[in-house]
């Protein structure tokens, strides 16, 4: 079969992978854990996200993925800025609170305003404050590309990680 024919056939086939099998296999990829925050001093909105990565050094760009059905997505768009808060090993409870649709609206977290005014978690391991550069369709998620406008390491401890559907704690590098 020619390369062109093979590409054409693959493009016309329905999804070949079961979503649960896909999720199970991806669970074998260890990730760090972040909470992305937006809003204002009066109202902090946050979501736990492990789909985060650096994209470019010059300009400094990162990306996060937010589910299309997320009730918080409109506020991220309206604000036009957000902070990626990298969680420390001792912040599993905070992570779980921002991960649950039932509790994320009532999470009491110590924040301070970033340079854009969005809340930054005061006790996060590190943060990157971003303005939304653009969005890209990512199936059932929106890939949000952010331009980093401020960043800092706030603590010298190990990160919270997620592997095989369980949280793990890594020690800080010595």
């Amino acid at each position: 079969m020619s390369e062109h024919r093979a590409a054409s056939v693959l493009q016309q086939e329905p999804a070949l992978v079961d979503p649960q099998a896909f999720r199970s296999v991806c669970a074998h990829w260890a990730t760090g854990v972040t909470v992305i925050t937006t809003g204002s001093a009066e109202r902090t909105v946050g979501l736990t996200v492990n789909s985060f990565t650096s994209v470019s050094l010059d300009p400094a760009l990162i990306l996060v993925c937010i589910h299309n059905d997320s009730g918080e997505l409109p506020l991220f768009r309206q604000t036009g800025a957000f902070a990626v808060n990298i969680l420390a090993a001792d912040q599993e409870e905070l992570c779980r609170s921002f991960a649950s649709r039932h509790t994320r609206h009532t999470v009491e977290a110590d924040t301070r305003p970033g340079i854009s005014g969005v809340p930054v978690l005061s006790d996060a391991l590190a943060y990157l404050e971003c303005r939304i550069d653009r969005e890209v369709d990512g199936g059932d998620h929106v890939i949000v590309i952010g331009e980093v406008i401020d960043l800092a390491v706030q603590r010298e401890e190990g990160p919270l990680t997620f592997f095989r559907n369980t949280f793990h704690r890594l020690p800080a590098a010595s």
Side-chain angles (χ1 to χ4, degrees):
M1 184 181 300
S2 73
E3 245 181 70
H4 177 70
R5 171 83 176 119
S8 175
V9 168
L10 284 176
Q11 290 174 355
Q12 295 171 3
E13 291 291 323
L16 302 175
V17 176
D18 173 67
Q20 290 299 34
F22 179 66
R23 183 179 195 147
S24 176
V25 169
C26 287
H28 287 74
W29 173 249
T31 67
V33 183
T34 68
V35 168
I36 57 172
T37 51
T38 195
S40 63
E42 297 80 37
R43 180 174 179 224
T44 297
V45 171
L47 301 167
T48 297
V49 171
N50 66 351
S51 295
F52 155 76
T53 192
S54 61
V55 174
S56 169
L57 292 176
D58 186 17
L61 300 173
I62 59 89
L63 71 76
V64 295
C65 298
I66 303 174
H67 198 282
N68 289 331
D69 294 338
S70 169
E72 292 76 17
L73 184 56
L75 185 58
F76 277 85
R77 288 174 168 154
Q78 178 185 350
T79 305
F82 61 95
V84 176
N85 302 275
I86 300 170
L87 299 188
D90 63 357
Q91 294 183 300
E92 180 179 337
E93 185 177 325
L94 183 67
C95 169
R96 288 183 184 279
S97 295
F98 277 112
S100 170
R101 292 180 185 191
H102 305 292
T103 60
R104 72 173 61 135
H105 300 287
T106 59
V107 175
E108 293 289 329
D110 185 27
T111 64
R112 62 172 182 72
I115 62 172
S116 68
V118 299
V120 173
L121 296 178
S122 302
D123 204 26
L125 189 64
Y127 74 90
L128 301 104
E129 187 175 354
C130 306
R131 74 175 131 239
I132 295 176
D133 182 71
R134 65 186 162 271
E135 294 181 10
V136 179
D137 177 35
D140 60 3
H141 281 68
V142 174
I143 301 166
V144 179
I145 298 174
E147 179 183 9
V148 179
I149 58 174
D150 191 32
L151 69 165
V153 173
Q154 301 183 127
R155 299 164 58 183
E156 291 294 337
E157 298 175 31
L160 182 62
T161 60
F162 197 67
F163 174 69
R164 295 174 86 182
N165 301 315
T166 304
F167 290 102
H168 300 272
R169 297 172 182 215
L170 294 178
S174 25

